[in-house]
Amino acid sequence: MQERGWQPDEVAAFGDSGNDVSMLKVVKYSVAMGNALPVAKRVANYSTADNNHDGIAKFLQQLNA
């Protein structure tokens, strides 16, 4: 992330599993998908629909609202 010149407060990350927890902890917009495991939901700041129901698009639309 920072190698590309991005700051954590400029990044959104989407996750649904335990391997996503460290990523979700460092960004401003940490989003748990609707099908996320409880561990991912606990650390995320936001939640959205699952991947089969356009969760990422729905969150990004809310962000621009």
Side-chain angles (χ1 to χ4, degrees), residues 41-64:
K41 289 180 178 180
R42 278 194 298 273
V43 300
N45 296 323
Y46 303 92
S47 62
T48 191
D50 65 32
N51 56 317
N52 291 327
H53 295 94
D54 301 322
I56 293 175
K58 288 178 180 177
F59 176 79
L60 294 175
Q61 287 173 340
Q62 287 179 341
L63 201 58
N64 279 334

Side-chain angles (χ1 to χ4, degrees), residues 6-28:
W6 302 331
Q7 297 304 312
D9 64 343
E10 300 173 315
V11 177
F14 299 84
D16 63 1
S17 190
N19 65 323
D20 297 321
V21 169
S22 59
M23 170 184 69
L24 294 171
K25 286 183 175 180
V26 298
V27 299
K28 180 176 182 178

